[in-house]
Amino acid sequence: MSDNTNINRTQKARAHTNIALIKYWGKADEQLIIPEDNSLSLTLKDFYTDTEVRFDKDLTADEIVFNNHLMNKAESQKMINFLNIVRQKAQQNIFAHVKTQNNIPTAAGLASSASGFAALAAASSKAIGLDLSRKDLSRLARRGSGSATRSIFGGFVEWEKGNNDQTSFAKPIEENVDWDVNLVAVITNRHEKKISSRRGMKISKATSPYYQAFKQVTSRDLITMKKAISNHDFDLMGHTAEENAMKMHALTFSSDPSFTYFNGDTLKAMQLVHELRNEGINCYFTIDAGPNVKVLVQHDNLKKVIRKFKTAFGQSNVVATVPGPGIEYLN
Ligand code: DP6
């Protein structure tokens, strides 16, 4: 074990959550979290996690406080496993105080392992004395949760699947999004999902007869999406994201046992997006592994879209945001 006298300091980091426009759904390596395919996301400004970490040689176990609640061992196991990886990398054997807070407006139902593990990767690695590049931070965050790989960077981000721990990491495609992209989150359910993404993607890969087809179309969708982003072509981006999301959700329906993340209100929100488009308002939905719907829209149509969803789902269930930055150290 190396000398740990200089690491008794608190490090704080902020990571923003991201929404996948081209979905990650399936692992080539479950242990190292290497995905089957590349994926692409947009980091979001108003939904983020702040985490502070201090390693302390007087502690006899990790102590993790999440949203002001001291977690028990079962609740914190995934984070403890992650801290074990950080300790191993740094060759240190000391436990940590972790304080983490999800700053997601009024329980927006977007609590996310993406921002959670990205913030924990940044704060814990720095606190223990590792000075990682953003690429290496992305590789580290990946060990906590696949989608966290992308939350190290701002704006549009691609996770290159690679084929081992060294080669699987995210890269920014366009960090500062200086064109007109807005996102409206529509909350249809605030409860934790019954089937985790981890379990859901495993069942889909093992049992859906359409899994190979999904891989093929996803690699085509990725090319189209990158073209849409580089041309700032909002409609092509939105259309491709919506189609790719539906293909991912088709994998859940076609799994054995079959399952879905949609509820009745998810379908209603999708229907409203279709209605808005029929009225000439260009907006597009995407949905991750949960019932909430995210709507991509440009500024001129933003007010109309917000009004429509607030009328249908209530004021507090509709939250608008814009593209956001990558990892930030707060001290
Ligand atoms: C539908 O990153 O939550 O949001 O790697 O097992 O922790 P693990 O899964 P997670 O899966 C995210 C799935 C998704 C699509 C995406 O974000 O690309």
Side-chain angles (χ1 to χ4, degrees), residues 145-196:
S145 182
S147 48
T149 314
R150 300 182 307 237
S151 269
I152 299 301
F153 300 100
F156 292 104
V157 182
E158 181 177 2
W159 175 11
E160 298 209 345
K161 61 179 174 171
N163 51 25
N164 57 32
D165 179 48
Q166 292 297 325
T167 53
S168 186
F169 53 86
K171 287 211 285 220
I173 292 190
E174 191 182 88
E175 278 233 86
N176 298 309
V177 181
D178 59 0
W179 52 294
D180 185 0
V181 180
N182 296 262
L183 182 133
V184 178
V186 182
I187 313 311
T188 68
N189 187 322
R190 292 165 194 271
H191 299 118
E192 198 148 320
K193 55 199 175 208
K194 289 198 192 80
I195 300 181
S196 67

Short mmCIF file of all heavy atoms in Angstrom, two decimals, residues 145-196:
data_model
loop_
_atom_site.label_atom_id
_atom_site.label_comp_id
_atom_site.label_asym_id
_atom_site.label_seq_id
_atom_site.Cartn_x
_atom_site.Cartn_y
_atom_site.Cartn_z
N SER A 145 -21.68 2.23 -14.13
CA SER A 145 -22.89 2.09 -14.94
C SER A 145 -22.55 2.54 -16.36
O SER A 145 -21.88 3.56 -16.54
CB SER A 145 -23.99 2.98 -14.36
OG SER A 145 -25.17 2.82 -15.11
N GLY A 146 -23.03 1.78 -17.34
CA GLY A 146 -22.66 2.07 -18.72
C GLY A 146 -22.96 3.50 -19.13
O GLY A 146 -22.10 4.20 -19.69
N SER A 147 -24.16 3.98 -18.82
CA SER A 147 -24.53 5.32 -19.28
C SER A 147 -23.67 6.41 -18.62
O SER A 147 -23.56 7.52 -19.15
CB SER A 147 -26.02 5.58 -19.03
OG SER A 147 -26.36 5.22 -17.71
N ALA A 148 -23.05 6.11 -17.47
CA ALA A 148 -22.18 7.09 -16.79
C ALA A 148 -20.92 7.39 -17.62
O ALA A 148 -20.34 8.48 -17.51
CB ALA A 148 -21.77 6.57 -15.42
N THR A 149 -20.52 6.43 -18.46
CA THR A 149 -19.36 6.61 -19.34
C THR A 149 -19.48 7.93 -20.11
O THR A 149 -18.50 8.64 -20.32
CB THR A 149 -19.31 5.44 -20.36
OG1 THR A 149 -19.51 4.22 -19.67
CG2 THR A 149 -18.01 5.40 -21.13
N ARG A 150 -20.73 8.23 -20.55
CA ARG A 150 -20.96 9.40 -21.42
C ARG A 150 -21.11 10.69 -20.64
O ARG A 150 -20.92 11.77 -21.21
CB ARG A 150 -22.23 9.15 -22.28
CG ARG A 150 -22.13 7.91 -23.19
CD ARG A 150 -23.40 7.75 -24.03
NE ARG A 150 -24.57 7.76 -23.19
CZ ARG A 150 -25.49 6.78 -23.14
NH1 ARG A 150 -25.38 5.70 -23.90
NH2 ARG A 150 -26.52 6.89 -22.34
N SER A 151 -21.49 10.61 -19.34
CA SER A 151 -21.76 11.84 -18.58
C SER A 151 -20.50 12.60 -18.17
O SER A 151 -20.59 13.66 -17.56
CB SER A 151 -22.61 11.53 -17.33
OG SER A 151 -23.98 11.64 -17.65
N ILE A 152 -19.33 12.08 -18.51
CA ILE A 152 -18.09 12.82 -18.23
C ILE A 152 -18.00 14.04 -19.17
O ILE A 152 -17.38 15.04 -18.84
CB ILE A 152 -16.86 11.89 -18.44
CG1 ILE A 152 -16.94 10.69 -17.47
CG2 ILE A 152 -15.55 12.65 -18.30
CD1 ILE A 152 -16.98 11.04 -16.00
N PHE A 153 -18.64 13.93 -20.33
CA PHE A 153 -18.54 14.99 -21.35
C PHE A 153 -19.87 15.74 -21.50
O PHE A 153 -20.93 15.20 -21.21
CB PHE A 153 -18.11 14.39 -22.69
CG PHE A 153 -16.78 13.70 -22.62
CD1 PHE A 153 -16.70 12.32 -22.50
CD2 PHE A 153 -15.60 14.43 -22.62
CE1 PHE A 153 -15.47 11.68 -22.41
CE2 PHE A 153 -14.36 13.80 -22.53
CZ PHE A 153 -14.30 12.42 -22.42
N GLY A 154 -19.78 16.96 -22.01
CA GLY A 154 -20.98 17.76 -22.24
C GLY A 154 -21.49 17.60 -23.67
O GLY A 154 -20.80 17.05 -24.53
N GLY A 155 -22.70 18.09 -23.90
CA GLY A 155 -23.27 18.12 -25.25
C GLY A 155 -23.49 16.73 -25.81
O GLY A 155 -23.90 15.81 -25.11
N PHE A 156 -23.22 16.60 -27.13
CA PHE A 156 -23.40 15.31 -27.79
C PHE A 156 -22.15 14.46 -27.56
O PHE A 156 -21.02 14.93 -27.78
CB PHE A 156 -23.61 15.51 -29.29
CG PHE A 156 -24.91 16.19 -29.62
CD1 PHE A 156 -24.94 17.54 -29.99
CD2 PHE A 156 -26.12 15.49 -29.56
CE1 PHE A 156 -26.14 18.17 -30.28
CE2 PHE A 156 -27.33 16.12 -29.85
CZ PHE A 156 -27.34 17.46 -30.22
N VAL A 157 -22.36 13.21 -27.16
CA VAL A 157 -21.26 12.35 -26.74
C VAL A 157 -21.46 10.95 -27.31
O VAL A 157 -22.57 10.41 -27.28
CB VAL A 157 -21.24 12.24 -25.18
CG1 VAL A 157 -20.06 11.38 -24.72
CG2 VAL A 157 -21.18 13.62 -24.54
N GLU A 158 -20.38 10.38 -27.82
CA GLU A 158 -20.45 8.99 -28.30
C GLU A 158 -19.63 8.08 -27.40
O GLU A 158 -18.48 8.41 -27.06
CB GLU A 158 -19.91 8.90 -29.74
CG GLU A 158 -20.00 7.48 -30.29
CD GLU A 158 -19.54 7.36 -31.75
OE1 GLU A 158 -19.09 8.39 -32.32
OE2 GLU A 158 -19.61 6.25 -32.29
N TRP A 159 -20.21 6.97 -27.02
CA TRP A 159 -19.47 5.94 -26.28
C TRP A 159 -18.99 4.91 -27.28
O TRP A 159 -19.80 4.23 -27.91
CB TRP A 159 -20.38 5.31 -25.23
CG TRP A 159 -19.80 4.14 -24.45
CD1 TRP A 159 -18.51 3.72 -24.41
CD2 TRP A 159 -20.54 3.27 -23.57
NE1 TRP A 159 -18.39 2.64 -23.56
CE2 TRP A 159 -19.62 2.34 -23.04
CE3 TRP A 159 -21.89 3.20 -23.19
CZ2 TRP A 159 -20.01 1.33 -22.16
CZ3 TRP A 159 -22.27 2.20 -22.31
CH2 TRP A 159 -21.35 1.29 -21.79
N GLU A 160 -17.68 4.85 -27.46
CA GLU A 160 -17.12 3.86 -28.37
C GLU A 160 -16.98 2.55 -27.62
O GLU A 160 -16.33 2.50 -26.58
CB GLU A 160 -15.76 4.34 -28.87
CG GLU A 160 -15.91 5.63 -29.65
CD GLU A 160 -14.85 5.78 -30.71
OE1 GLU A 160 -13.85 5.05 -30.67
OE2 GLU A 160 -15.06 6.64 -31.59
N LYS A 161 -17.61 1.52 -28.18
CA LYS A 161 -17.73 0.29 -27.40
C LYS A 161 -16.36 -0.32 -27.07
O LYS A 161 -16.17 -0.85 -25.99
CB LYS A 161 -18.58 -0.74 -28.14
CG LYS A 161 -18.02 -1.16 -29.50
CD LYS A 161 -18.93 -2.20 -30.14
CE LYS A 161 -18.44 -2.50 -31.55
NZ LYS A 161 -19.11 -3.63 -32.16
N GLY A 162 -15.39 -0.22 -27.98
CA GLY A 162 -14.10 -0.86 -27.74
C GLY A 162 -14.26 -2.35 -27.54
O GLY A 162 -15.33 -2.91 -27.79
N ASN A 163 -13.20 -2.99 -27.06
CA ASN A 163 -13.37 -4.43 -26.76
C ASN A 163 -12.67 -4.86 -25.47
O ASN A 163 -12.58 -6.03 -25.18
CB ASN A 163 -12.93 -5.30 -27.94
CG ASN A 163 -11.54 -4.89 -28.42
OD1 ASN A 163 -10.77 -4.34 -27.63
ND2 ASN A 163 -11.24 -5.14 -29.67
N ASN A 164 -12.21 -3.88 -24.71
CA ASN A 164 -11.67 -4.21 -23.38
C ASN A 164 -11.68 -2.94 -22.53
O ASN A 164 -12.13 -1.89 -22.98
CB ASN A 164 -10.25 -4.80 -23.50
CG ASN A 164 -9.30 -3.85 -24.23
OD1 ASN A 164 -9.44 -2.62 -24.13
ND2 ASN A 164 -8.36 -4.41 -24.96
N ASP A 165 -11.18 -3.08 -21.30
CA ASP A 165 -11.25 -1.94 -20.37
C ASP A 165 -10.52 -0.70 -20.91
O ASP A 165 -10.95 0.43 -20.69
CB ASP A 165 -10.66 -2.36 -19.01
CG ASP A 165 -10.70 -1.22 -18.02
OD1 ASP A 165 -11.76 -0.59 -17.90
OD2 ASP A 165 -9.67 -0.95 -17.38
N GLN A 166 -9.45 -0.91 -21.63
CA GLN A 166 -8.66 0.22 -22.15
C GLN A 166 -9.39 0.97 -23.27
O GLN A 166 -9.25 2.18 -23.40
CB GLN A 166 -7.33 -0.30 -22.75
CG GLN A 166 -6.34 -0.86 -21.74
CD GLN A 166 -5.88 0.19 -20.77
OE1 GLN A 166 -5.72 1.36 -21.13
NE2 GLN A 166 -5.70 -0.20 -19.52
N THR A 167 -10.11 0.21 -24.10
CA THR A 167 -10.60 0.80 -25.35
C THR A 167 -12.08 1.21 -25.33
O THR A 167 -12.59 1.71 -26.33
CB THR A 167 -10.37 -0.18 -26.53
OG1 THR A 167 -10.96 -1.44 -26.18
CG2 THR A 167 -8.89 -0.37 -26.81
N SER A 168 -12.76 0.98 -24.20
CA SER A 168 -14.19 1.32 -24.13
C SER A 168 -14.38 2.59 -23.32
O SER A 168 -14.30 2.58 -22.10
CB SER A 168 -14.95 0.14 -23.48
OG SER A 168 -16.33 0.38 -23.53
N PHE A 169 -14.62 3.71 -24.03
CA PHE A 169 -14.79 5.00 -23.35
C PHE A 169 -15.56 5.96 -24.26
O PHE A 169 -15.73 5.70 -25.46
CB PHE A 169 -13.43 5.60 -22.97
CG PHE A 169 -12.46 5.70 -24.11
CD1 PHE A 169 -12.47 6.80 -24.95
CD2 PHE A 169 -11.54 4.68 -24.35
CE1 PHE A 169 -11.59 6.89 -26.02
CE2 PHE A 169 -10.65 4.77 -25.42
CZ PHE A 169 -10.67 5.87 -26.25
N ALA A 170 -16.00 7.07 -23.67
CA ALA A 170 -16.78 8.04 -24.45
C ALA A 170 -15.90 9.17 -24.98
O ALA A 170 -14.82 9.43 -24.44
CB ALA A 170 -17.89 8.61 -23.58
N LYS A 171 -16.41 9.79 -26.05
CA LYS A 171 -15.70 10.94 -26.66
C LYS A 171 -16.73 12.02 -26.97
O LYS A 171 -17.82 11.70 -27.44
CB LYS A 171 -15.09 10.51 -28.00
CG LYS A 171 -13.89 9.62 -27.86
CD LYS A 171 -12.90 9.82 -28.99
CE LYS A 171 -13.30 9.23 -30.30
NZ LYS A 171 -12.29 8.59 -31.09
N PRO A 172 -16.38 13.28 -26.76
CA PRO A 172 -17.34 14.32 -27.13
C PRO A 172 -17.43 14.45 -28.65
O PRO A 172 -16.42 14.37 -29.34
CB PRO A 172 -16.74 15.58 -26.51
CG PRO A 172 -15.30 15.30 -26.33
CD PRO A 172 -15.14 13.82 -26.20
N ILE A 173 -18.64 14.64 -29.15
CA ILE A 173 -18.83 14.88 -30.59
C ILE A 173 -18.99 16.37 -30.82
O ILE A 173 -18.47 16.94 -31.76
CB ILE A 173 -20.10 14.16 -31.07
CG1 ILE A 173 -19.87 12.66 -31.00
CG2 ILE A 173 -20.49 14.59 -32.46
CD1 ILE A 173 -20.97 11.90 -31.66
N GLU A 174 -19.77 16.99 -29.91
CA GLU A 174 -19.96 18.45 -29.97
C GLU A 174 -20.24 18.89 -28.54
O GLU A 174 -21.36 18.72 -28.05
CB GLU A 174 -21.15 18.77 -30.89
CG GLU A 174 -21.26 20.23 -31.23
CD GLU A 174 -22.48 20.51 -32.10
OE1 GLU A 174 -23.55 20.74 -31.52
OE2 GLU A 174 -22.37 20.49 -33.32
N GLU A 175 -19.22 19.38 -27.85
CA GLU A 175 -19.38 19.68 -26.42
C GLU A 175 -20.22 20.91 -26.18
O GLU A 175 -21.04 20.94 -25.27
CB GLU A 175 -18.01 19.88 -25.76
CG GLU A 175 -17.35 18.57 -25.40
CD GLU A 175 -16.93 18.52 -23.94
OE1 GLU A 175 -17.73 18.16 -23.07
OE2 GLU A 175 -15.75 18.82 -23.69
N ASN A 176 -19.98 21.96 -26.96
CA ASN A 176 -20.76 23.18 -26.78
C ASN A 176 -21.82 23.22 -27.87
O ASN A 176 -21.51 23.53 -29.02
CB ASN A 176 -19.86 24.41 -26.85
CG ASN A 176 -18.83 24.37 -25.74
OD1 ASN A 176 -19.19 24.18 -24.58
ND2 ASN A 176 -17.57 24.52 -26.10
N VAL A 177 -23.02 22.92 -27.50
CA VAL A 177 -24.09 22.86 -28.49
C VAL A 177 -24.61 24.28 -28.70
O VAL A 177 -25.32 24.82 -27.86
CB VAL A 177 -25.21 21.90 -28.02
CG1 VAL A 177 -26.32 21.81 -29.05
CG2 VAL A 177 -24.63 20.52 -27.73
N ASP A 178 -24.20 24.88 -29.83
CA ASP A 178 -24.55 26.29 -30.03
C ASP A 178 -25.69 26.43 -31.03
O ASP A 178 -25.85 27.45 -31.66
CB ASP A 178 -23.32 27.08 -30.47
CG ASP A 178 -22.74 26.52 -31.76
OD1 ASP A 178 -23.30 25.52 -32.28
OD2 ASP A 178 -21.72 27.06 -32.24
N TRP A 179 -26.48 25.38 -31.19
CA TRP A 179 -27.66 25.50 -32.05
C TRP A 179 -28.89 25.14 -31.23
O TRP A 179 -28.78 24.81 -30.04
CB TRP A 179 -27.52 24.67 -33.32
CG TRP A 179 -27.15 23.22 -33.16
CD1 TRP A 179 -25.97 22.74 -32.68
CD2 TRP A 179 -27.95 22.08 -33.49
NE1 TRP A 179 -25.99 21.37 -32.69
CE2 TRP A 179 -27.19 20.93 -33.19
CE3 TRP A 179 -29.22 21.90 -34.03
CZ2 TRP A 179 -27.67 19.64 -33.39
CZ3 TRP A 179 -29.69 20.61 -34.24
CH2 TRP A 179 -28.92 19.50 -33.92
N ASP A 180 -30.04 25.23 -31.87
CA ASP A 180 -31.30 25.27 -31.15
C ASP A 180 -31.83 23.86 -30.83
O ASP A 180 -32.51 23.24 -31.64
CB ASP A 180 -32.28 26.04 -32.08
CG ASP A 180 -33.61 26.28 -31.45
OD1 ASP A 180 -33.81 25.86 -30.30
OD2 ASP A 180 -34.46 26.88 -32.14
N VAL A 181 -31.49 23.38 -29.63
CA VAL A 181 -31.99 22.08 -29.17
C VAL A 181 -32.50 22.23 -27.74
O VAL A 181 -31.76 22.69 -26.86
CB VAL A 181 -30.87 21.00 -29.17
CG1 VAL A 181 -31.40 19.65 -28.70
CG2 VAL A 181 -30.22 20.86 -30.55
N ASN A 182 -33.76 21.89 -27.52
CA ASN A 182 -34.35 21.91 -26.17
C ASN A 182 -34.93 20.55 -25.89
O ASN A 182 -35.30 19.81 -26.81
CB ASN A 182 -35.49 22.93 -26.10
CG ASN A 182 -35.02 24.34 -26.32
OD1 ASN A 182 -34.78 25.09 -25.40
ND2 ASN A 182 -34.84 24.69 -27.59
N LEU A 183 -35.05 20.24 -24.59
CA LEU A 183 -35.65 18.97 -24.22
C LEU A 183 -36.69 19.19 -23.13
O LEU A 183 -36.45 19.94 -22.17
CB LEU A 183 -34.56 18.01 -23.72
CG LEU A 183 -35.08 16.62 -23.35
CD1 LEU A 183 -34.20 15.54 -23.94
CD2 LEU A 183 -35.16 16.46 -21.84
N VAL A 184 -37.84 18.59 -23.31
CA VAL A 184 -38.91 18.68 -22.30
C VAL A 184 -39.09 17.29 -21.70
O VAL A 184 -39.38 16.33 -22.42
CB VAL A 184 -40.23 19.17 -22.94
CG1 VAL A 184 -41.35 19.21 -21.91
CG2 VAL A 184 -40.03 20.56 -23.56
N ALA A 185 -38.87 17.19 -20.38
CA ALA A 185 -39.06 15.90 -19.70
C ALA A 185 -40.50 15.82 -19.20
O ALA A 185 -40.98 16.75 -18.53
CB ALA A 185 -38.09 15.77 -18.55
N VAL A 186 -41.18 14.75 -19.53
CA VAL A 186 -42.57 14.55 -19.10
C VAL A 186 -42.59 13.37 -18.13
O VAL A 186 -42.24 12.24 -18.50
CB VAL A 186 -43.48 14.24 -20.32
CG1 VAL A 186 -44.92 14.08 -19.87
CG2 VAL A 186 -43.35 15.34 -21.38
N ILE A 187 -42.97 13.66 -16.89
CA ILE A 187 -42.90 12.64 -15.84
C ILE A 187 -44.25 11.94 -15.73
O ILE A 187 -45.27 12.56 -15.41
CB ILE A 187 -42.56 13.29 -14.46
CG1 ILE A 187 -41.40 14.27 -14.59
CG2 ILE A 187 -42.29 12.22 -13.41
CD1 ILE A 187 -40.20 13.78 -15.31
N THR A 188 -44.25 10.65 -15.98
CA THR A 188 -45.52 9.91 -15.89
C THR A 188 -45.53 9.01 -14.66
O THR A 188 -46.57 8.47 -14.30
CB THR A 188 -45.75 9.05 -17.14
OG1 THR A 188 -44.79 7.99 -17.16
CG2 THR A 188 -45.64 9.86 -18.42
N ASN A 189 -44.38 8.84 -14.03
CA ASN A 189 -44.30 7.99 -12.84
C ASN A 189 -43.00 8.29 -12.12
O ASN A 189 -41.95 8.33 -12.74
CB ASN A 189 -44.33 6.51 -13.27
CG ASN A 189 -44.42 5.57 -12.08
OD1 ASN A 189 -43.83 5.82 -11.03
ND2 ASN A 189 -45.17 4.51 -12.23
N ARG A 190 -43.08 8.50 -10.80
CA ARG A 190 -41.87 8.85 -10.04
C ARG A 190 -41.28 7.66 -9.31
O ARG A 190 -40.32 7.80 -8.58
CB ARG A 190 -42.21 9.96 -9.04
CG ARG A 190 -42.53 11.28 -9.70
CD ARG A 190 -43.20 12.24 -8.74
NE ARG A 190 -43.78 13.35 -9.49
CZ ARG A 190 -43.13 14.46 -9.79
NH1 ARG A 190 -41.89 14.62 -9.42
NH2 ARG A 190 -43.71 15.42 -10.49
N HIS A 191 -41.87 6.51 -9.43
CA HIS A 191 -41.36 5.35 -8.67
C HIS A 191 -40.22 4.66 -9.39
O HIS A 191 -40.10 4.75 -10.61
CB HIS A 191 -42.50 4.37 -8.40
CG HIS A 191 -43.58 4.99 -7.58
ND1 HIS A 191 -44.87 5.13 -8.03
CD2 HIS A 191 -43.53 5.55 -6.35
CE1 HIS A 191 -45.58 5.75 -7.11
NE2 HIS A 191 -44.79 6.02 -6.08
N GLU A 192 -39.44 3.95 -8.61
CA GLU A 192 -38.31 3.22 -9.20
C GLU A 192 -38.83 2.13 -10.13
O GLU A 192 -39.86 1.50 -9.86
CB GLU A 192 -37.49 2.59 -8.07
CG GLU A 192 -36.13 2.20 -8.53
CD GLU A 192 -35.10 2.34 -7.40
OE1 GLU A 192 -35.16 3.32 -6.64
OE2 GLU A 192 -34.27 1.46 -7.33
N LYS A 193 -38.10 1.93 -11.24
CA LYS A 193 -38.57 0.92 -12.19
C LYS A 193 -38.43 -0.49 -11.61
O LYS A 193 -37.54 -0.76 -10.80
CB LYS A 193 -37.80 1.05 -13.49
CG LYS A 193 -36.30 0.99 -13.36
CD LYS A 193 -35.64 1.58 -14.60
CE LYS A 193 -34.15 1.66 -14.44
NZ LYS A 193 -33.54 2.71 -15.21
N LYS A 194 -39.34 -1.38 -12.05
CA LYS A 194 -39.34 -2.74 -11.50
C LYS A 194 -38.21 -3.58 -12.10
O LYS A 194 -37.64 -4.42 -11.43
CB LYS A 194 -40.68 -3.41 -11.77
CG LYS A 194 -41.82 -2.82 -10.94
CD LYS A 194 -43.02 -3.78 -10.91
CE LYS A 194 -44.24 -3.08 -10.34
NZ LYS A 194 -44.92 -2.22 -11.33
N ILE A 195 -37.92 -3.36 -13.37
CA ILE A 195 -36.85 -4.13 -14.00
C ILE A 195 -35.70 -3.17 -14.30
O ILE A 195 -35.85 -2.25 -15.12
CB ILE A 195 -37.34 -4.79 -15.31
CG1 ILE A 195 -38.51 -5.72 -14.98
CG2 ILE A 195 -36.22 -5.54 -16.02
CD1 ILE A 195 -39.09 -6.44 -16.16
N SER A 196 -34.57 -3.35 -13.64
CA SER A 196 -33.44 -2.45 -13.86
C SER A 196 -32.99 -2.56 -15.31
O SER A 196 -33.23 -3.57 -15.97
CB SER A 196 -32.28 -2.84 -12.93
OG SER A 196 -31.78 -4.11 -13.31
#
